[in-house]
Amino acid sequence: MSVFTSLVTETVPLPPPADPGKTVTIRKLNPGHLRAAQRAAQLRSIEDMRAMGGPAFIKEIQALIEKPKDAKDGKSAVEEAVAADPLLLYDCLTLLQKSIIGWNLERDHNDLTVLEDLEQDLQEFLGRRILKLARPSLFQTITEAEAARGNA
């Protein structure tokens, strides 16, 4: 595998309801692209919090983020959600826009409005595949991560 992210690609078969044989080719994202997707998700979250009540609402959210004293593994509800689905930390459309380099669908993939028009389940499926290509460690269990560190 190349050390240059732009040279690492994967062709992903699309799940149903896509027609059989439909694929998307993605490339591994560089750290700058991943940061851009994280920033976009953070900005969207801030805008959402402001719309829902600003500082008072943020205080309520902070209570959810704080680690409960009686938690078995010491993780907050938010940490558990992110561990279950790392895509929560990234803007899916930014991931798609930066990673998709080709597909055999009916419309051109270079148009953001076309990416926005994809079904949400497909956007999320592709977003997770992009993250798995760029940051496979996000999807590892603790045991797998420890084994990988031991083998490095």
Side-chain angles (χ1 to χ4, degrees), residues 48-50 52-62:
D48 291 347
M49 281 192 237
R50 283 186 184 140
M52 289 186 226
F57 183 71
I58 291 171
K59 201 171 199 176
E60 291 177 33
I61 294 296
Q62 285 174 332

Side-chain angles (χ1 to χ4, degrees), residues 10-14 22-26 100 102-105 126:
E10 179 181 337
T11 299
V12 179
L14 296 183
K22 296 295 183 181
T23 61
V24 173
T25 302
I26 58 175
I100 293 175
W103 67 22
N104 61 358
L105 298 172
L126 290 171

Side-chain angles (χ1 to χ4, degrees), residues 36-54:
Q38 284 180 315
R39 274 195 304 273
Q42 291 165 350
L43 289 172
R44 187 183 63 245
S45 293
I46 289 168
E47 290 170 5
D48 291 347
M49 281 192 237
R50 283 186 184 140
M52 289 186 226

Side-chain angles (χ1 to χ4, degrees), residues 5 9 24 30 40 48 50 53 72 78 98 110 112 125 132 141 148:
T5 58
T9 63
V24 173
N30 67 43
D48 291 347
R50 283 186 184 140
K72 295 178 207 167
V78 172
K98 301 290 187 188
N110 292 324
L112 180 59
F125 169 80
K132 284 180 184 178
T141 65

Side-chain angles (χ1 to χ4, degrees), residues 90-146:
Y90 296 85
D91 179 68
C92 198
L93 285 174
T94 302
L95 293 174
L96 298 179
Q97 190 175 29
K98 301 290 187 188
S99 180
I100 293 175
I101 57 174
W103 67 22
N104 61 358
L105 298 172
E106 300 81 28
R107 296 169 65 190
D108 185 14
H109 65 83
N110 292 324
D111 184 354
L112 180 59
T113 58
V114 172
L115 296 176
E116 292 172 335
D117 195 32
L118 290 174
E119 293 180 1
Q120 183 173 351
D121 288 344
L122 182 56
Q123 287 180 12
E124 292 173 1
F125 169 80
L126 290 171
R128 286 184 190 94
R129 289 299 292 259
I130 291 164
L131 280 179
K132 284 180 184 178
L133 182 61
R135 300 282 316 277
S137 62
L138 293 176
F139 296 88
Q140 292 177 329
T141 65
I142 293 172
T143 306
E144 291 168 337
E146 288 172 354

